[in-house]
Amino acid sequence: MLDIAYIRANTELVKTGMVNKGEKTTDVVDRVLEVDEKWRSLVHEIDTLRSTSNARSKEIGKLMGQGKKEEAQVIMSETATAKDTIKRLEEELGVLAQERTDLLYRIPNVPHESVPVGHTDADNVVHSTWGDPLPQEWRVPHWDLAKDHNWIDFERGVKVTGAGFPFYVGTGARLQRALINFFLNSAAERGYTELQAPYFVNEDSARGTGQIPDKEDMMYTIPRDGFFAIPTAEVPVTNFHRDEILELNELPVKYCGYTPCWRREAGSYGKDVRGLNRLHQFDKVELVKFVHPDTSYDELESLREDAELLLQALGLPYRTLLMCTGDMGFTQTKKYDLEVWSPGQQRWLEVSSCSNFESFQARRMMVRYRDEDGKPKILHTLNGSGLALPRIVSAILETYQEASGKVRIPEVLKPFLGNSDYL
RNA sequence: GGAGAGAUGGCAGAGCGGUCGAAUGCGGCGGUCUUGAAAACCGUUGAGCCGAAAGGUUCCGGGGGUUCGAAUCCCUCUCUCUCCGCCA
């Protein structure tokens, strides 16, 4: 959520940002300012009332201590009504406070000035490309190839759990494990501390990163225990420092973590869901940074680079998109998507998205750092995939397949796969 | 799953219903001393909110209650620890 003081001081900027992100109206901004105004004046009123009644209680305490019961009685009778008034006003305040935060939660983060204004994915800007997209030629989609080699078993996944929960079999499973190791090792070399995170989180954590309210439908739930299956490691890893104050000299704090991710993906059908393109359970290595506000845009560039280097090392042609305002999402100020080329399907597949949230998540989670003046300040958070596995598996199978149907192993993965040349 | 104990500041750990935002110790920061460091000594050191500031206010696991007044009493929830059982 945004800082209400920021909204007050930059109302038009916030509204413009909303419009550019594709919100139909900006009424919520006016309403939050209105409610905030009322809230603040009521806070003031209540604080004043409490101040006098606190003073009186102390007075009573003093008199009682001196044994002056009668004098104490007089003041007691005076305070009786103030108590009721305060209680009534506090109830009012509670309603206002709730409304205020509800409204604040509905205001999206403001796009950075460097982000192109646009409405759809057509307005995204190609930031860079690496390698040449391979032509189709003999290359078949990964689902056919994987089936021929018995590397992925979609049918048994359906039997055991349901659609979108495949088995990886034999070499297929090994390839997954190799990729996870390669990604984690690379992240470690780039200064990320590895975290092995819980796969379930509680409600506070889900709220911290913004899955609740609004996006709880994307998550699988464990209602009996009040848990959510994580849709991405971003949730547990970013919440790692919830309600904490980090020291200035430890910034930037960088974590990587491998986890499975579960997403209900309600309402997704059609060709997009063939094979590994869209799953309910998939594996991902996530990169998360906690940084000083002054550096977050530099950190975004280096985060993007961290992710890009993985694709380059794997030798997979890809392109990097700078997402336009309309295609960016509620919580981000700036976002890059990395799309790998799938020669078997002749299309780009998103394998990473690297985002700056500025203080949007950190404010909600109260993650702060202690500034030079000794005061706690909200820091900035960023995250990006490094990388999502299934579409990388698709791209490897399709890119490295030979006319015979055999699949070569990318150089960097060989050490993880017995130094063989072929899968 | 059963039984018991507990939840207080960065950590440890006190706290009769009234000057308790909270003793004390450790840690942190500043200083004295020292060629430098250590030790010793002195001082300082929680966070949120309102406010231009002065100041005010809230917070002792969460929520509710009793009271003029709650860290302290009552109810409730959650979590942690110990023992037993079960178990990778």
Side-chain angles (χ1 to χ4, degrees), chain A residues 63-296:
Chain A
L63 292 169
M64 295 292 270
Q66 298 166 356
K68 298 178 180 169
K69 250 190 162 171
E70 300 77 20
E71 290 176 47
Q73 286 291 345
V74 176
I75 305 177
M76 274 192 217
S77 57
E78 282 176 26
T79 46
T81 53
K83 189 190 160 195
D84 292 340
T85 313
I86 289 173
K87 192 168 179 180
R88 185 171 50 76
L89 292 178
E90 270 176 344
E91 274 165 29
E92 249 177 77
L93 186 73
V95 173
L96 282 174
Q98 185 62 50
E99 195 180 350
R100 182 171 172 272
T101 50
D102 285 351
L103 290 167
L104 273 176
Y105 274 4
R106 288 170 45 198
I107 299 173
N109 208 351
V110 180
H112 190 251
E113 56 190 11
S114 63
V115 171
V117 175
H119 302 294
T120 67
D121 54 1
D123 298 317
N124 295 333
V125 172
V126 177
H127 172 268
S128 64
T129 60
W130 188 89
D132 295 316
L134 290 173
Q136 177 97 46
E137 299 181 294
W138 64 85
R139 296 180 181 85
V140 297
H142 64 275
W143 52 84
D144 289 333
L145 201 59
K147 189 172 181 144
D148 292 346
H149 290 91
N150 191 30
W151 286 335
I152 303 173
D153 194 330
F154 291 98
E155 290 77 10
R156 287 201 174 89
V158 170
K159 174 178 73 181
V160 171
T161 303
F165 292 90
F167 278 86
Y168 299 86
V169 181
T171 298
R174 269 193 98 188
L175 175 59
Q176 291 263 121
R177 193 152 49 82
L179 282 167
I180 292 163
N181 277 317
F182 169 62
F183 290 157
L184 287 174
N185 288 356
S186 306
E189 280 165 25
R190 304 278 289 179
Y192 292 83
T193 302
E194 182 175 345
L195 290 183
Q196 239 177 58
Y199 296 167
F200 301 149
V201 294
N202 58 31
E203 208 176 293
D204 286 342
S205 296
R207 184 170 293 107
T209 30
Q211 277 69 33
I212 308 179
D214 271 7
K215 281 182 263 174
E216 54 250 283
D217 282 351
M218 85 186 294
M219 295 185 289
Y220 288 97
T221 58
I222 295 97
R224 184 165 173 178
D225 300 286
F227 294 152
F228 298 88
I230 58 171
T232 158
E234 167 194 344
V235 180
V237 174
T238 312
N239 274 282
F240 191 66
H241 286 303
R242 174 153 50 85
D243 296 319
E244 292 183 14
I245 301 171
L246 306 179
E247 292 307 321
L248 186 61
N249 59 25
E250 43 183 351
L251 298 181
V253 177
K254 297 157 65 172
Y255 296 110
C256 62
Y258 155 73
T259 69
C261 305
W262 292 275
R263 296 185 184 178
R264 298 185 62 239
E265 303 288 2
S268 305
Y269 305 101
K271 73 170 164 50
D272 281 358
V273 306
R274 274 300 290 272
L276 296 173
N277 286 350
R278 189 179 297 277
L279 300 172
H280 287 304
Q281 175 179 311
F282 65 96
D283 300 279
K284 182 159 62 66
V285 170
E286 186 74 3
L287 309 172
V288 175
K289 292 187 184 183
F290 299 83
V291 310
H292 190 282
D294 292 347
T295 67
S296 66

Side-chain angles (χ1 to χ4, degrees), chain A residues 145 149 151 397 400-408 422-423:
Chain A
L145 201 59
H149 290 91
W151 286 335
L397 297 186
Y400 283 90
Q401 68 178 286
E402 298 182 342
S404 64
K406 288 173 79 179
V407 177
R408 279 196 299 118
Y422 289 91
L423 283 177

Side-chain angles (χ1 to χ4, degrees), chain A residues 311 319 413:
Chain A
L311 288 165
R319 65 178 187 181
L413 292 184

